[in-house]
Amino acid sequence: MPGSGASGGAGGLTGPDDAWCLDDVERAAAAVLPDGVRDFVAGGAGGERTLRANREAFGRLGLVPRVLRDVSRCATDATLLGGRARMPVAAAPVAYQRLVHPEGELAAARAAKAAGVPFTVSTLSSVPLDKITAVGGRVWFQLYWLRDRERSLRLVRQAEDAGCEAVMLTVDVPWMGRRLRDARRGFALPEHVRAVNLDAGPVTRAHRGEGAGSAVAAHTALEFSPRLTWSVVELLRSHTRLPLVLKGVLAPGDARRACEFGVDAVVVSNHGGRQLDGAVASVDALGPVAEAVGGRCQVLLDSGVRGGTDVLKALALGASGVLVGRPPVWGLAAWGEAGAGRVYELLAAELRDALGLAGCPSVAAARRLRVVCSGALAPAG
């Protein structure tokens, strides 16, 4: 069973302590997951050009370290949406995590709490929201805007009542992108996995592979509203006292307008390469968005983060922090809660190492670094 923690089956690694980077964790998960589930998590839209571009763009960026600085102590703590985190990292919303482990989001939330980072619950979570907030860590709620407006607002009220600390509206999914790996397999959810915060019945369109294509995509097409506009942002801003975050912003003009609507943060994201194939790599859009915001709200980065040096590059380009999606899920699949926890341990160790070697005693100092992109010095953001 995925996430069972049995030795010998996770890509030759006997346990989470044998993983020394996030690529190790991904290989361990790939060795234990069924092919369809692995592709559902790993895959992107179309020809997966944007999926690849997210990693390639990080590879093109070079940090310009500073020297002769006292780095005897490198502090990784940060403030994200008004609360403290042990590092400038949060768990991104990922749907249906019981696909990879019996406890799903519950185990993932415990790992995030132990690491001292916020956990974002997806609208399509396979564990009830109140059970996740009962874990006791910092929890944000991610909202997909539904065709039924009152149902959407009811989810926000439930998030408030459960103790969530922010509402994160995903703005780049009027419908699910054409994820060909899922479509070719006719991917459908097993009966024991469902969007418990959304679906009243045990079986939905997401569970029925009727005809060609992804049953999950067919289900979201029935549920998600393609009429997601700025009026929804205005409505949410007036209906919730929680910090409001827009996830999926790539254009500087959209970021400026978000500030005008009073949002507390934007997440520069192309949905991990899972929506518009051919969209700009998220990290390439980060600097211009941060400049457009001009400090009026926080800027977070999502898509392609696979190590502490990536976090440092995002900080240098103007981000307050990053979201990580697939890596904790790989850890959960390979070794359960301990595996997800190992992902955060590795990120923390790598970030501390990168900070020190770049001459930065703190996250604030990292924002004064410069980066080289395609041979030219770029400002920190």
Side-chain angles (χ1 to χ4, degrees), residues 42-292:
E48 300 189 342
R49 291 177 292 272
T50 297
L51 179 70
R52 293 188 295 272
N54 282 329
R55 292 301 306 140
E56 292 166 356
F58 271 111
R60 289 195 302 270
L61 293 175
L63 291 159
V64 182
R66 303 303 301 269
V67 296
L68 300 174
R69 307 290 178 88
D70 182 357
V71 290
S72 54
R73 181 180 181 274
C74 294
T76 63
D77 56 298
T79 299
L80 299 178
L81 297 182
R84 298 302 291 171
R86 288 185 203 160
M87 58 179 166
V89 171
V94 177
Y96 303 122
Q97 294 189 38
R98 288 190 66 213
L99 280 170
V100 307
H101 185 272
E103 288 193 292
E105 289 85 354
L106 195 60
R110 289 197 300 262
K113 178 191 175 186
V117 301
F119 181 80
T120 312
V121 182
S122 172
T123 293
L124 301 178
S125 170
S126 53
V127 173
L129 178 59
D130 57 352
K131 289 189 176 181
I132 295 170
T133 55
V135 166
R138 293 187 64 200
V139 177
W140 302 339
F141 177 67
Q142 176 269 336
L143 176 68
Y144 285 118
W145 192 249
L146 307 176
R147 291 176 181 270
D148 185 336
R149 164 184 143 157
E150 292 308 313
R151 201 172 172 205
S152 300
L153 294 176
R154 189 161 59 248
L155 286 172
V156 173
R157 289 192 294 271
Q158 289 171 1
E160 291 176 339
D161 292 343
C164 291
E165 297 184 13
V167 173
M168 182 181 291
L169 176 67
T170 293
V171 295
D172 60 354
V173 186
W175 54 79
M176 190 177 286
R178 297 186 70 247
R179 302 172 192 175
L180 299 185
R181 298 196 207 190
D182 298 342
R184 287 168 176 144
R185 291 183 184 278
F187 184 76
L189 297 179
E191 288 190 11
H192 73 282
V193 177
R194 64 187 183 94
V196 294
N197 299 309
L198 193 61
D199 300 319
V203 177
T204 68
R205 180 65 182 85
H207 298 86
R208 299 191 298 270
E210 299 170 357
S214 164
V216 174
H219 176 240
T220 56
L222 292 173
E223 296 284 359
F224 294 179
S225 173
R227 298 177 182 270
L228 176 57
T229 66
W230 288 104
S231 64
V232 172
V233 178
E234 184 176 27
L235 179 68
L236 280 175
R237 183 67 289 172
S238 68
H239 272 74
T240 183
R241 55 181 168 75
L242 296 177
L244 179 60
V245 183
L246 302 190
K247 179 178 180 289
V249 174
L250 293 170
D254 288 339
R256 280 191 293 269
R257 193 165 188 192
C259 294
E260 295 167 2
F261 277 82
V263 305
D264 298 275
V266 295
V267 183
V268 180
S269 170
N270 56 38
H271 216 94
R274 292 162 74 82
Q275 283 302 104
L276 174 63
D277 191 34
V280 61
S282 293
V283 75
D284 283 341
L286 174 57
V289 167
E291 183 177 0

Side-chain angles (χ1 to χ4, degrees), residues 290-374:
E291 183 177 0
V293 163
R296 288 177 290 170
C297 72
Q298 284 201 319
V299 177
L300 305 173
L301 175 76
D302 167 270
S303 305
V305 175
R306 294 296 181 271
T309 303
D310 295 339
V311 179
L312 184 57
K313 291 175 180 179
L315 296 173
L317 287 167
S320 295
V322 305
L323 306 184
V324 289
R326 291 180 179 95
V329 176
W330 297 138
L332 188 66
W335 301 294
E337 181 181 339
R342 181 59 175 165
V343 167
Y344 297 121
E345 290 174 3
L346 290 168
L347 282 171
E350 291 170 359
L351 177 58
R352 191 174 296 108
D353 183 66
L355 284 169
L357 295 178
C360 300
S362 67
V363 166
R367 298 192 179 102
R368 296 190 290 272
L369 283 176
R370 296 171 77 84
V371 296
V372 172
C373 181
S374 301

